[in-house]
PDB file of all heavy atoms in Angstrom:
ATOM      1  N   THR A   1       0.849  -1.160  -0.018  1.00  0.00           N
ATOM      2  CA  THR A   1       0.024  -0.038   0.101  1.00  0.00           C
ATOM      3  C   THR A   1       0.849   1.293  -0.029  1.00  0.00           C
ATOM      4  O   THR A   1       0.290   2.360   0.059  1.00  0.00           O
ATOM      5  CB  THR A   1      -0.950  -0.036   1.217  1.00  0.00           C
ATOM      6  OG1 THR A   1      -0.154   0.003   2.462  1.00  0.00           O
ATOM      7  CG2 THR A   1      -1.878  -1.226   1.205  1.00  0.00           C
ATOM      8  N   THR A   2       2.239   1.159  -0.013  1.00  0.00           N
ATOM      9  CA  THR A   2       3.032   2.290  -0.029  1.00  0.00           C
ATOM     10  C   THR A   2       2.875   3.074  -1.204  1.00  0.00           C
ATOM     11  O   THR A   2       2.849   2.520  -2.357  1.00  0.00           O
ATOM     12  CB  THR A   2       4.580   1.899   0.189  1.00  0.00           C
ATOM     13  OG1 THR A   2       4.717   1.191   1.382  1.00  0.00           O
ATOM     14  CG2 THR A   2       5.474   3.068   0.206  1.00  0.00           C
ATOM     15  N   LYS A   3       2.742   4.465  -1.035  1.00  0.00           N
ATOM     16  CA  LYS A   3       2.483   5.247  -2.140  1.00  0.00           C
ATOM     17  C   LYS A   3       3.804   5.594  -2.923  1.00  0.00           C
ATOM     18  O   LYS A   3       4.979   5.551  -2.272  1.00  0.00           O
ATOM     19  CB  LYS A   3       1.969   6.612  -1.735  1.00  0.00           C
ATOM     20  CG  LYS A   3       0.581   6.517  -1.096  1.00  0.00           C
ATOM     21  CD  LYS A   3       0.065   7.865  -0.501  1.00  0.00           C
ATOM     22  CE  LYS A   3      -1.429   7.681   0.165  1.00  0.00           C
ATOM     23  NZ  LYS A   3      -1.735   9.015   0.671  1.00  0.00           N
ATOM     24  N   PRO A   4       3.795   5.811  -4.233  1.00  0.00           N
ATOM     25  CA  PRO A   4       5.029   6.156  -4.929  1.00  0.00           C
ATOM     26  C   PRO A   4       5.707   7.423  -4.400  1.00  0.00           C
ATOM     27  O   PRO A   4       5.022   8.344  -3.872  1.00  0.00           O
ATOM     28  CB  PRO A   4       4.439   6.429  -6.382  1.00  0.00           C
ATOM     29  CG  PRO A   4       3.111   5.633  -6.468  1.00  0.00           C
ATOM     30  CD  PRO A   4       2.582   5.812  -5.072  1.00  0.00           C
ATOM     31  N   LEU A   5       7.025   7.460  -4.443  1.00  0.00           N
ATOM     32  CA  LEU A   5       7.734   8.578  -3.836  1.00  0.00           C
ATOM     33  C   LEU A   5       8.429   9.410  -4.957  1.00  0.00           C
ATOM     34  O   LEU A   5       8.844   8.770  -6.031  1.00  0.00           O
ATOM     35  CB  LEU A   5       8.898   7.909  -3.002  1.00  0.00           C
ATOM     36  CG  LEU A   5       8.358   7.161  -1.706  1.00  0.00           C
ATOM     37  CD1 LEU A   5       9.577   6.553  -1.091  1.00  0.00           C
ATOM     38  CD2 LEU A   5       7.515   7.910  -0.830  1.00  0.00           C
ATOM     39  N   ASP A   6       8.441  10.638  -4.694  1.00  0.00           N
ATOM     40  CA  ASP A   6       9.174  11.436  -5.633  1.00  0.00           C
ATOM     41  C   ASP A   6      10.340  12.234  -4.939  1.00  0.00           C
ATOM     42  O   ASP A   6      10.100  13.205  -4.181  1.00  0.00           O
ATOM     43  CB  ASP A   6       8.174  12.652  -6.141  1.00  0.00           C
ATOM     44  CG  ASP A   6       8.865  13.439  -7.308  1.00  0.00           C
ATOM     45  OD1 ASP A   6      10.052  13.378  -7.434  1.00  0.00           O
ATOM     46  OD2 ASP A   6       8.033  14.275  -7.878  1.00  0.00           O
ATOM     47  N   PHE A   7      11.560  11.669  -5.066  1.00  0.00           N
ATOM     48  CA  PHE A   7      12.711  12.166  -4.410  1.00  0.00           C
ATOM     49  C   PHE A   7      13.131  13.498  -4.865  1.00  0.00           C
ATOM     50  O   PHE A   7      13.833  14.222  -4.237  1.00  0.00           O
ATOM     51  CB  PHE A   7      13.905  11.188  -4.544  1.00  0.00           C
ATOM     52  CG  PHE A   7      13.608   9.905  -3.723  1.00  0.00           C
ATOM     53  CD1 PHE A   7      13.115   8.818  -4.318  1.00  0.00           C
ATOM     54  CD2 PHE A   7      13.771   9.908  -2.374  1.00  0.00           C
ATOM     55  CE1 PHE A   7      12.946   7.583  -3.702  1.00  0.00           C
ATOM     56  CE2 PHE A   7      13.501   8.747  -1.641  1.00  0.00           C
ATOM     57  CZ  PHE A   7      13.050   7.660  -2.261  1.00  0.00           C
ATOM     58  N   ASP A   8      12.730  13.901  -6.110  1.00  0.00           N
ATOM     59  CA  ASP A   8      13.083  15.186  -6.670  1.00  0.00           C
ATOM     60  C   ASP A   8      12.235  16.505  -5.963  1.00  0.00           C
ATOM     61  O   ASP A   8      12.741  17.558  -5.876  1.00  0.00           O
ATOM     62  CB  ASP A   8      12.872  15.326  -8.157  1.00  0.00           C
ATOM     63  CG  ASP A   8      13.774  14.374  -8.879  1.00  0.00           C
ATOM     64  OD1 ASP A   8      14.953  14.299  -8.376  1.00  0.00           O
ATOM     65  OD2 ASP A   8      13.425  13.828  -9.978  1.00  0.00           O
ATOM     66  N   THR A   9      11.012  16.240  -5.590  1.00  0.00           N
ATOM     67  CA  THR A   9      10.223  17.294  -5.037  1.00  0.00           C
ATOM     68  C   THR A   9       9.860  17.136  -3.595  1.00  0.00           C
ATOM     69  O   THR A   9       9.597  18.115  -2.773  1.00  0.00           O
ATOM     70  CB  THR A   9       8.985  17.369  -5.844  1.00  0.00           C
ATOM     71  OG1 THR A   9       8.206  16.144  -5.751  1.00  0.00           O
ATOM     72  CG2 THR A   9       9.326  17.698  -7.314  1.00  0.00           C
ATOM     73  N   GLN A  10       9.710  15.899  -3.048  1.00  0.00           N
ATOM     74  CA  GLN A  10       9.347  15.695  -1.702  1.00  0.00           C
ATOM     75  C   GLN A  10      10.415  16.068  -0.683  1.00  0.00           C
ATOM     76  O   GLN A  10      11.552  15.874  -0.959  1.00  0.00           O
ATOM     77  CB  GLN A  10       8.915  14.228  -1.436  1.00  0.00           C
ATOM     78  CG  GLN A  10       7.522  13.856  -2.021  1.00  0.00           C
ATOM     79  CD  GLN A  10       7.138  12.443  -1.822  1.00  0.00           C
ATOM     80  OE1 GLN A  10       6.918  11.677  -2.658  1.00  0.00           O
ATOM     81  NE2 GLN A  10       7.198  11.994  -0.485  1.00  0.00           N
ATOM     82  N   THR A  11       9.994  16.642   0.401  1.00  0.00           N
ATOM     83  CA  THR A  11      10.915  16.944   1.470  1.00  0.00           C
ATOM     84  C   THR A  11      10.643  16.000   2.716  1.00  0.00           C
ATOM     85  O   THR A  11      11.590  15.940   3.624  1.00  0.00           O
ATOM     86  CB  THR A  11      10.923  18.358   1.892  1.00  0.00           C
ATOM     87  OG1 THR A  11       9.454  18.594   2.271  1.00  0.00           O
ATOM     88  CG2 THR A  11      11.153  19.286   0.798  1.00  0.00           C
ATOM     89  N   GLU A  12       9.516  15.384   2.805  1.00  0.00           N
ATOM     90  CA  GLU A  12       9.210  14.369   3.836  1.00  0.00           C
ATOM     91  C   GLU A  12       8.777  13.097   3.279  1.00  0.00           C
ATOM     92  O   GLU A  12       8.080  13.080   2.231  1.00  0.00           O
ATOM     93  CB  GLU A  12       8.086  14.972   4.789  1.00  0.00           C
ATOM     94  CG  GLU A  12       8.437  16.157   5.503  1.00  0.00           C
ATOM     95  CD  GLU A  12       7.440  16.654   6.594  1.00  0.00           C
ATOM     96  OE1 GLU A  12       6.267  15.952   6.499  1.00  0.00           O
ATOM     97  OE2 GLU A  12       7.576  17.638   7.204  1.00  0.00           O
ATOM     98  N   PHE A  13       9.228  11.997   3.900  1.00  0.00           N
ATOM     99  CA  PHE A  13       8.920  10.766   3.201  1.00  0.00           C
ATOM    100  C   PHE A  13       8.328   9.762   4.382  1.00  0.00           C
ATOM    101  O   PHE A  13       8.825   9.743   5.432  1.00  0.00           O
ATOM    102  CB  PHE A  13      10.217  10.090   2.636  1.00  0.00           C
ATOM    103  CG  PHE A  13      10.898  10.882   1.731  1.00  0.00           C
ATOM    104  CD1 PHE A  13      11.883  11.995   1.989  1.00  0.00           C
ATOM    105  CD2 PHE A  13      10.605  10.833   0.298  1.00  0.00           C
ATOM    106  CE1 PHE A  13      12.396  12.729   1.144  1.00  0.00           C
ATOM    107  CE2 PHE A  13      11.168  11.700  -0.659  1.00  0.00           C
ATOM    108  CZ  PHE A  13      12.120  12.641  -0.186  1.00  0.00           C
ATOM    109  N   GLU A  14       7.357   9.100   3.848  1.00  0.00           N
ATOM    110  CA  GLU A  14       6.756   8.064   4.766  1.00  0.00           C
ATOM    111  C   GLU A  14       6.810   6.722   4.144  1.00  0.00           C
ATOM    112  O   GLU A  14       6.359   6.586   3.002  1.00  0.00           O
ATOM    113  CB  GLU A  14       5.265   8.380   5.064  1.00  0.00           C
ATOM    114  CG  GLU A  14       4.614   7.494   6.129  1.00  0.00           C
ATOM    115  CD  GLU A  14       3.236   7.971   6.422  1.00  0.00           C
ATOM    116  OE1 GLU A  14       3.034   9.163   6.925  1.00  0.00           O
ATOM    117  OE2 GLU A  14       2.263   7.212   6.092  1.00  0.00           O
ATOM    118  N   PHE A  15       7.233   5.766   4.946  1.00  0.00           N
ATOM    119  CA  PHE A  15       7.415   4.277   4.446  1.00  0.00           C
ATOM    120  C   PHE A  15       6.499   3.442   5.320  1.00  0.00           C
ATOM    121  O   PHE A  15       6.332   3.602   6.547  1.00  0.00           O
ATOM    122  CB  PHE A  15       8.737   3.851   4.453  1.00  0.00           C
ATOM    123  CG  PHE A  15       9.703   4.707   3.572  1.00  0.00           C
ATOM    124  CD1 PHE A  15      10.356   5.875   4.096  1.00  0.00           C
ATOM    125  CD2 PHE A  15       9.920   4.356   2.267  1.00  0.00           C
ATOM    126  CE1 PHE A  15      11.229   6.520   3.264  1.00  0.00           C
ATOM    127  CE2 PHE A  15      10.756   5.113   1.476  1.00  0.00           C
ATOM    128  CZ  PHE A  15      11.402   6.225   1.953  1.00  0.00           C
ATOM    129  N   SER A  16       5.946   2.435   4.677  1.00  0.00           N
ATOM    130  CA  SER A  16       5.293   1.325   5.404  1.00  0.00           C
ATOM    131  C   SER A  16       5.846   0.014   5.046  1.00  0.00           C
ATOM    132  O   SER A  16       5.906  -0.316   3.884  1.00  0.00           O
ATOM    133  CB  SER A  16       3.785   1.447   4.928  1.00  0.00           C
ATOM    134  OG  SER A  16       3.014   0.465   5.670  1.00  0.00           O
ATOM    135  N   TYR A  17       6.162  -0.741   6.104  1.00  0.00           N
ATOM    136  CA  TYR A  17       6.715  -2.067   5.908  1.00  0.00           C
ATOM    137  C   TYR A  17       5.884  -3.165   6.644  1.00  0.00           C
ATOM    138  O   TYR A  17       5.304  -2.960   7.618  1.00  0.00           O
ATOM    139  CB  TYR A  17       8.159  -2.032   6.517  1.00  0.00           C
ATOM    140  CG  TYR A  17       9.265  -1.642   5.476  1.00  0.00           C
ATOM    141  CD1 TYR A  17       9.307  -0.312   5.112  1.00  0.00           C
ATOM    142  CD2 TYR A  17      10.038  -2.582   4.764  1.00  0.00           C
ATOM    143  CE1 TYR A  17      10.240  -0.029   4.109  1.00  0.00           C
ATOM    144  CE2 TYR A  17      10.891  -2.302   3.791  1.00  0.00           C
ATOM    145  CZ  TYR A  17      11.004  -0.959   3.399  1.00  0.00           C
ATOM    146  OH  TYR A  17      11.973  -0.613   2.552  1.00  0.00           O
ATOM    147  N   ASP A  18       5.866  -4.263   6.011  1.00  0.00           N
ATOM    148  CA  ASP A  18       5.236  -5.606   6.627  1.00  0.00           C
ATOM    149  C   ASP A  18       6.397  -6.316   7.232  1.00  0.00           C
ATOM    150  O   ASP A  18       7.348  -6.568   6.679  1.00  0.00           O
ATOM    151  CB  ASP A  18       4.632  -6.260   5.564  1.00  0.00           C
ATOM    152  CG  ASP A  18       3.411  -5.469   4.785  1.00  0.00           C
ATOM    153  OD1 ASP A  18       2.881  -4.594   5.452  1.00  0.00           O
ATOM    154  OD2 ASP A  18       3.125  -5.779   3.596  1.00  0.00           O
ATOM    155  N   LEU A  19       5.954  -6.842   8.480  1.00  0.00           N
ATOM    156  CA  LEU A  19       6.803  -7.854   9.040  1.00  0.00           C
ATOM    157  C   LEU A  19       6.027  -9.079   9.367  1.00  0.00           C
ATOM    158  O   LEU A  19       4.777  -9.036   9.639  1.00  0.00           O
ATOM    159  CB  LEU A  19       7.190  -7.273  10.527  1.00  0.00           C
ATOM    160  CG  LEU A  19       7.999  -6.039  10.619  1.00  0.00           C
ATOM    161  CD1 LEU A  19       8.264  -5.763  12.056  1.00  0.00           C
ATOM    162  CD2 LEU A  19       9.234  -6.160   9.893  1.00  0.00           C
ATOM    163  N   ALA A  20       6.609 -10.178   9.157  1.00  0.00           N
ATOM    164  CA  ALA A  20       5.990 -11.487   9.465  1.00  0.00           C
ATOM    165  C   ALA A  20       6.468 -11.951  10.818  1.00  0.00           C
ATOM    166  O   ALA A  20       7.600 -12.176  10.988  1.00  0.00           O
ATOM    167  CB  ALA A  20       6.450 -12.623   8.399  1.00  0.00           C
ATOM    168  N   VAL A  21       5.577 -11.981  11.796  1.00  0.00           N
ATOM    169  CA  VAL A  21       5.911 -12.332  13.181  1.00  0.00           C
ATOM    170  C   VAL A  21       5.875 -13.846  13.343  1.00  0.00           C
ATOM    171  O   VAL A  21       4.913 -14.594  12.927  1.00  0.00           O
ATOM    172  CB  VAL A  21       5.033 -11.678  14.099  1.00  0.00           C
ATOM    173  CG1 VAL A  21       5.380 -12.069  15.657  1.00  0.00           C
ATOM    174  CG2 VAL A  21       4.940 -10.203  13.916  1.00  0.00           C
ATOM    175  N   ALA A  22       7.009 -14.468  13.780  1.00  0.00           N
ATOM    176  CA  ALA A  22       7.078 -15.885  14.150  1.00  0.00           C
ATOM    177  C   ALA A  22       6.020 -16.374  15.048  1.00  0.00           C
ATOM    178  O   ALA A  22       5.882 -15.656  16.095  1.00  0.00           O
ATOM    179  CB  ALA A  22       8.428 -16.273  14.482  1.00  0.00           C
ATOM    180  N   PRO A  23       5.269 -17.384  14.889  1.00  0.00           N
ATOM    181  CA  PRO A  23       4.265 -17.833  15.770  1.00  0.00           C
ATOM    182  C   PRO A  23       5.043 -18.401  17.051  1.00  0.00           C
ATOM    183  O   PRO A  23       6.112 -18.837  16.988  1.00  0.00           O
ATOM    184  CB  PRO A  23       3.628 -19.128  15.090  1.00  0.00           C
ATOM    185  CG  PRO A  23       4.627 -19.477  14.094  1.00  0.00           C
ATOM    186  CD  PRO A  23       5.438 -18.257  13.680  1.00  0.00           C
ATOM    187  N   GLU A  24       4.278 -18.275  18.128  1.00  0.00           N
ATOM    188  CA  GLU A  24       4.768 -18.752  19.404  1.00  0.00           C
ATOM    189  C   GLU A  24       4.740 -20.371  19.482  1.00  0.00           C
ATOM    190  O   GLU A  24       3.796 -21.008  18.976  1.00  0.00           O
ATOM    191  CB  GLU A  24       3.944 -18.360  20.630  1.00  0.00           C
ATOM    192  CG  GLU A  24       4.168 -16.861  21.041  1.00  0.00           C
ATOM    193  CD  GLU A  24       5.626 -16.739  21.554  1.00  0.00           C
ATOM    194  OE1 GLU A  24       6.156 -17.533  22.238  1.00  0.00           O
ATOM    195  OE2 GLU A  24       6.308 -15.743  21.264  1.00  0.00           O
ATOM    196  N   VAL A  25       5.801 -21.058  19.846  1.00  0.00           N
ATOM    197  CA  VAL A  25       5.905 -22.414  19.882  1.00  0.00           C
ATOM    198  C   VAL A  25       5.493 -22.840  21.246  1.00  0.00           C
ATOM    199  O   VAL A  25       6.318 -22.578  22.278  1.00  0.00           O
ATOM    200  CB  VAL A  25       7.208 -22.986  19.402  1.00  0.00           C
ATOM    201  CG1 VAL A  25       7.241 -24.463  19.483  1.00  0.00           C
ATOM    202  CG2 VAL A  25       7.584 -22.529  18.095  1.00  0.00           C
ATOM    203  N   ASN A  26       4.481 -23.554  21.469  1.00  0.00           N
ATOM    204  CA  ASN A  26       4.039 -24.096  22.817  1.00  0.00           C
ATOM    205  C   ASN A  26       4.275 -25.493  22.797  1.00  0.00           C
ATOM    206  O   ASN A  26       3.408 -26.364  22.440  1.00  0.00           O
ATOM    207  CB  ASN A  26       2.633 -23.742  23.057  1.00  0.00           C
ATOM    208  CG  ASN A  26       2.133 -24.263  24.437  1.00  0.00           C
ATOM    209  OD1 ASN A  26       2.972 -24.348  25.253  1.00  0.00           O
ATOM    210  ND2 ASN A  26       0.875 -24.277  24.658  1.00  0.00           N
ATOM    211  N   LEU A  27       5.530 -26.014  23.169  1.00  0.00           N
ATOM    212  CA  LEU A  27       5.814 -27.334  23.116  1.00  0.00           C
ATOM    213  C   LEU A  27       6.737 -27.788  24.305  1.00  0.00           C
ATOM    214  O   LEU A  27       7.730 -27.135  24.569  1.00  0.00           O
ATOM    215  CB  LEU A  27       6.506 -27.736  21.803  1.00  0.00           C
ATOM    216  CG  LEU A  27       7.157 -29.188  21.599  1.00  0.00           C
ATOM    217  CD1 LEU A  27       5.945 -30.126  21.548  1.00  0.00           C
ATOM    218  CD2 LEU A  27       7.914 -29.187  20.301  1.00  0.00           C
ATOM    219  N   THR A  28       6.466 -28.853  24.911  1.00  0.00           N
ATOM    220  CA  THR A  28       7.285 -29.585  25.849  1.00  0.00           C
ATOM    221  C   THR A  28       7.444 -31.011  25.531  1.00  0.00           C
ATOM    222  O   THR A  28       6.370 -31.741  25.306  1.00  0.00           O
ATOM    223  CB  THR A  28       6.705 -29.522  27.317  1.00  0.00           C
ATOM    224  OG1 THR A  28       6.562 -28.017  27.655  1.00  0.00           O
ATOM    225  CG2 THR A  28       7.701 -30.106  28.303  1.00  0.00           C
ATOM    226  N   VAL A  29       8.677 -31.442  25.274  1.00  0.00           N
ATOM    227  CA  VAL A  29       8.874 -32.836  24.990  1.00  0.00           C
ATOM    228  C   VAL A  29       8.979 -33.717  26.159  1.00  0.00           C
ATOM    229  O   VAL A  29       9.801 -33.303  27.103  1.00  0.00           O
ATOM    230  CB  VAL A  29      10.087 -33.102  24.071  1.00  0.00           C
ATOM    231  CG1 VAL A  29      10.377 -34.448  23.665  1.00  0.00           C
ATOM    232  CG2 VAL A  29      10.018 -32.225  22.859  1.00  0.00           C
ATOM    233  N   ASP A  30       8.199 -34.839  26.251  1.00  0.00           N
ATOM    234  CA  ASP A  30       8.228 -35.639  27.544  1.00  0.00           C
ATOM    235  C   ASP A  30       7.955 -37.129  26.971  1.00  0.00           C
ATOM    236  O   ASP A  30       7.802 -37.391  25.836  1.00  0.00           O
ATOM    237  CB  ASP A  30       7.332 -35.169  28.523  1.00  0.00           C
ATOM    238  CG  ASP A  30       5.782 -35.066  27.941  1.00  0.00           C
ATOM    239  OD1 ASP A  30       5.517 -35.849  27.025  1.00  0.00           O
ATOM    240  OD2 ASP A  30       5.134 -34.217  28.587  1.00  0.00           O
ATOM    241  N   LYS A  31       7.874 -38.031  27.982  1.00  0.00           N
ATOM    242  CA  LYS A  31       7.616 -39.478  27.660  1.00  0.00           C
ATOM    243  C   LYS A  31       6.294 -39.672  27.010  1.00  0.00           C
ATOM    244  O   LYS A  31       6.102 -40.703  26.345  1.00  0.00           O
ATOM    245  CB  LYS A  31       7.673 -40.169  29.015  1.00  0.00           C
ATOM    246  CG  LYS A  31       9.023 -40.430  29.606  1.00  0.00           C
ATOM    247  CD  LYS A  31      10.016 -41.104  28.764  1.00  0.00           C
ATOM    248  CE  LYS A  31      11.419 -41.083  29.307  1.00  0.00           C
ATOM    249  NZ  LYS A  31      12.414 -41.770  28.532  1.00  0.00           N
ATOM    250  N   GLY A  32       5.474 -38.709  27.063  1.00  0.00           N
ATOM    251  CA  GLY A  32       4.166 -38.927  26.333  1.00  0.00           C
ATOM    252  C   GLY A  32       4.206 -38.878  24.807  1.00  0.00           C
ATOM    253  O   GLY A  32       3.398 -39.245  24.135  1.00  0.00           O
ATOM    254  N   ILE A  33       5.317 -38.327  24.349  1.00  0.00           N
ATOM    255  CA  ILE A  33       5.534 -38.263  22.884  1.00  0.00           C
ATOM    256  C   ILE A  33       6.383 -39.472  22.548  1.00  0.00           C
ATOM    257  O   ILE A  33       7.428 -39.787  22.963  1.00  0.00           O
ATOM    258  CB  ILE A  33       6.388 -37.031  22.528  1.00  0.00           C
ATOM    259  CG1 ILE A  33       5.571 -35.747  22.840  1.00  0.00           C
ATOM    260  CG2 ILE A  33       6.739 -36.979  21.077  1.00  0.00           C
ATOM    261  CD1 ILE A  33       6.239 -34.477  22.538  1.00  0.00           C
TER     262      ILE A  33
END
């Protein structure tokens, strides 16, 4: 969704980035496995 940038005329710049967050691992290994 980031809008096109014009480095020749703009004096302020706004960027938007997406991050993929790693899922939480809920695991304990025991004799039941």
Side-chain angles (χ1 to χ4, degrees):
T1 60
T2 299
K3 297 177 181 178
L5 302 173
D6 185 349
F7 291 101
D8 291 328
T9 60
Q10 285 181 237
T11 56
E12 293 184 359
F13 304 90
E14 182 176 301
F15 298 89
S16 178
Y17 270 74
D18 297 333
L19 299 180
V21 181
E24 285 294 323
V25 181
N26 183 18
L27 173 68
T28 299
V29 181
D30 54 29
K31 292 295 180 184
I33 295 178

